[in-house]
Amino acid sequence: MTLLAKFQLLVLALTSGLAVADFRSDLTGTNTLFPNSDGYASASQAYNRRFSRQPAAIAFPSTPQDVSAIVQAGAANGMKVVARGGGHSYIANGLGGENGTLVIDMSNMKAINIDSSANTVEIQTGNRLGDVATALNSAGRALPHGTCPYVGIGGHSAFGGYGFTSRQWGLALDPIYAIHAVFANGSTVTATDSTNSDLFWALRGAAPSFAITTSIELHTFPVPSHAIGFSYSWELDATAAGQAFLAYQNYSLSGPPSVMGSELNIGPGSSRGSISVSLVGGWYADESSNDGLDAALQPFLSQMPEPSSSEKLGNGTYIDSVVQFGGSLDTSAEPDTTDTFYAKSLMTTTGSPVSADAFNAFAKFLSEDGFDSETSWFMQIEQYGGPNSAINSVPSASTAFFRRDVLFTWQLYASSSNSQPPYPEDGFTFIDNVVKSVTDNMPADWDYGAYTNYPDDRLENWQQRYYGSNYDRLQQIKREVDPNNVFEFPQSIEL
Ligand SMILES: Cc1cc2nc3c(=O)[nH]c(=O)nc-3n(C[C@H](O)[C@H](O)[C@H](O)COP(=O)(O)OP(=O)(O)OC[C@H]3O[C@@H](n4cnc5c(N)ncnc54)[C@H](O)[C@@H]3O)c2cc1C
Ligand SMILES: *[C@@H]1O[C@H](CO)[C@@H](O)[C@H](O)[C@H]1NC(C)=O
Ligand SMILES: *[C@@H]1O[C@H](CO)[C@@H](O)[C@H](O)[C@H]1NC(C)=O
Ligand SMILES: *[C@@H]1O[C@H](CO)[C@@H](O)[C@H](O)[C@H]1NC(C)=O
Ligand SMILES: *[C@@H]1O[C@H](CO)[C@@H](O)[C@H](O)[C@H]1NC(C)=O
């Protein structure tokens, strides 16, 4: 071997080794798991086991300064960087979109500071919804958010955050008035309506494409003195189910009280040709009886056959209503569960509601193909709107969360039969056809959206479905604050 060849080999060995060594030494002092570390395998498992990803490293910061150092280490080494909050992304985006991503796991950043005189709270983004609800409740306060205690506030409030209090209080991102974050170049930033207002706009609806958020500050709400869950169940043939869906839409359009939120949960029936339908929701008011709730449900229930079962859920306290829907709020007590699934969503509007034909086709498809499906599935029609909904009182252009004219958000969800991998190919076709049963019975130019917190890796035209006419402004801001696309993952805002 010539001297030159030896020298070239030496340089090659040094530089390739150095890149890794540099990256590792850049992270010295931070609690970090590398692929050969104990605990890496379980820490890199996705909630949705349809995905398996191998991050370059999973770093666990304790402070915003740690987050800044980790982001800089990743960017300097040409890596994609993502944050992970509760890890519940439907498409595993908290692990990045490809192997070799640097993951910043926020789980050591769990401070919650309540200001009882200002009725505000600052929440670090490593918290989960169970932590948030418990801490706030002890101070007599609450926020709007989803039901699963293990979902992280980081991802949830980045993309929306819907629960049964949302018609009264808005989405989880709506009460946010300040966000503390780290840019792709490692600089820390505080964004509000008056400072860094473009960033503040973008973070409320599309945060992960722009920055790693370290904490959010929100206005809180007083816990209602009477909170009660409700559940009514039916087994319906396809015709009756189609009528029930239409009646629920008509009822929702009529504007039931905003202190109530509800959804229809749909599952397989006990025989081919039927499906199970239940109305589930919550009532949050300052009164001591259920009379107001019963009166508010009457216009819908009077259109329905006798339910096979009905119950009120909970002891009347706000926190018990949270427990009734989500189970124990203590997320340190048990390990999180996982699933293997594919889901799509539809956001259907108040302005062009779903036709009777579309509801009938949806009910018929589920009662036949749904009965035959090998998957384990559920469908939900979540009530966002009605004329008095707080979600819809925010104009579409005032935050990055565009879909403000929504009456219903539909979730169409199928798991492998045992919730383990592999996911069956016909699970994709089944969910595609559930959606088609609706869209094929609506005009070709029908405007509907998709929910960013139920991301769908196979969604066509996702830019429009998620972000509508907000997408251009999101791209402009992306080019300004992350020109090298450090925060890139599937369906991140493009340059
Ligand atoms: C069982 C279950 C129940 C659910 N129930 C509801 C519900 O009732 N209502 C509802 O609206 N949604 C619900 N969802 C959807 C849920 O809101 C989203 O999956 C949410 O994005 C999860 O957030 P996470 O922090 O747990 O997930 P992660 O996978 O950690 O994060 C999701 C996305 O946000 C990014 N991200 C997380 N933290 C940060 C941060 N600090 N800075 C920047 N980016 C960040 C991640 O990189 C990723 O792209 C549910 C999901 C599951 C699995
Ligand atoms: C990523 O890593 C996982 C786990 O090691 C592997 O199964 C998968 O094939 C890899 N994906 C790519 C695109 O290399
Ligand atoms: C639609 O709603 C109105 C007002 O709630 C009610 O009077 C009417 O009977 C409903 N119609 C159907 C078909 O459900
Ligand atoms: C109601 O339930 C909650 C939690 O589920 C419990 O902590 C509380 O003690 C109960 N209150 C009453 C009055 O039963
Ligand atoms: C980092 O990026 C932000 C957003 O573009 C910019 O405002 C800030 O000045 C940059 N910081 C440095 C040190 O370049």
Side-chain angles (χ1 to χ4, degrees), residues 315 317 319-320 323:
N315 65 20
T317 64
I319 200 64
D320 195 44
V323 173

Side-chain angles (χ1 to χ4, degrees), residues 183-189 196 199 210 477 479-483:
F183 279 125
N185 62 11
S187 292
T188 55
V189 60
N196 300 298
L199 181 70
F210 297 90
I477 301 171
R479 289 192 282 265
E480 273 167 40
V481 304
D482 185 16

Side-chain angles (χ1 to χ4, degrees), residues 5 47 81 94-95 121 150 162 174 190 228 232 283 322 344 368 373 382 387 416 448 452:
Y47 175 83
V81 180
L95 292 167
V121 63
Y150 284 85
Y162 167 85
D174 288 323
T190 296
I228 199 87
Y232 295 80
W283 172 265
V322 181
K344 296 186 86 68
E368 293 171 0
S373 173
E382 300 168 335
S416 68
Y448 61 90
T452 38

Side-chain angles (χ1 to χ4, degrees), residues 178-264:
I179 301 178
H180 304 278
V182 175
F183 279 125
N185 62 11
S187 292
T188 55
V189 60
T190 296
T192 69
D193 248 334
S194 51
T195 49
N196 300 298
S197 54
D198 274 351
L199 181 70
F200 187 55
W201 179 85
L203 292 177
R204 287 170 300 150
S209 294
F210 297 90
I212 308 292
T213 63
T214 51
S215 63
I216 56 179
E217 294 186 55
L218 310 97
H219 299 289
T220 62
F221 300 86
V223 297
S225 58
H226 185 62
I228 199 87
F230 54 88
S231 170
Y232 295 80
S233 303
W234 299 265
E235 169 128 355
L236 300 173
D237 66 28
T239 307
Q243 283 165 1
F245 300 151
L246 188 65
Y248 186 60
Q249 178 171 263
N250 180 31
Y251 169 67
S252 301
L253 285 168
S254 77
S258 62
V259 296
M260 180 168 66
S262 68
E263 66 195 15
L264 293 183

Side-chain angles (χ1 to χ4, degrees), residues 268-480:
S270 59
S271 62
R272 198 168 195 276
S274 74
I275 53 178
S276 72
V277 176
S278 51
L279 172 75
V280 175
W283 172 265
Y284 309 89
D286 288 321
E287 61 186 23
S288 55
S289 79
N290 291 333
D291 294 352
L293 168 60
D294 290 337
L297 287 172
Q298 194 48 33
F300 175 64
L301 294 178
S302 66
Q303 310 279 321
M304 294 290 292
E306 268 304 295
S308 56
S309 70
S310 69
E311 53 180 331
K312 297 286 192 320
L313 309 166
N315 65 20
T317 64
Y318 172 75
I319 200 64
D320 195 44
S321 76
V322 181
V323 173
Q324 291 296 325
F325 294 122
S328 168
L329 304 182
D330 180 1
T331 57
S332 62
E334 288 174 39
D336 198 0
T337 55
T338 61
D339 196 2
T340 302
F341 67 100
Y342 177 60
K344 296 186 86 68
S345 68
L346 279 175
M347 296 178 109
T348 65
T349 67
T350 306
S352 48
V354 176
S355 67
D357 283 351
F359 277 128
N360 290 337
F362 175 68
K364 186 168 178 349
F365 187 81
L366 292 178
S367 73
E368 293 171 0
D369 293 63
F371 187 79
D372 299 339
S373 173
E374 302 289 324
T375 65
S376 167
W377 59 266
F378 70 86
M379 312 292 154
Q380 286 180 320
I381 300 180
E382 300 168 335
Q383 188 189 54
Y384 271 47
N388 47 1
S389 166
I391 301 172
N392 295 1
S393 71
V394 180
S396 282
S398 73
T399 68
F401 188 92
F402 175 73
R403 296 282 167 191
R404 296 292 186 169
D405 56 348
V406 171
L407 182 65
F408 290 150
T409 293
W410 308 41
Q411 164 152 244
L412 316 137
Y413 186 115
S415 306
S416 68
S417 56
N418 61 357
S419 291
Q420 302 296 317
Y423 190 73
E425 201 51 44
D426 61 4
F428 295 112
T429 347
F430 172 57
I431 292 297
D432 288 348
N433 288 335
V434 173
V435 168
K436 274 167 65 71
S437 72
V438 180
T439 54
D440 281 358
N441 286 288
M442 295 298 293
D445 63 350
W446 185 45
D447 179 39
Y448 61 90
Y451 181 31
T452 38
N453 253 335
Y454 300 154
D456 166 6
D457 52 311
R458 295 167 63 256
L459 182 64
E460 284 167 23
N461 194 14
W462 57 265
Q463 296 88 340
Q464 171 65 23
R465 296 280 178 237
Y466 293 148
Y467 299 109
S469 58
N470 282 345
Y471 196 69
D472 285 348
R473 183 174 175 200
L474 284 166
Q475 283 193 288
Q476 282 165 26
I477 301 171
K478 175 75 173 177
R479 289 192 282 265
E480 273 167 40

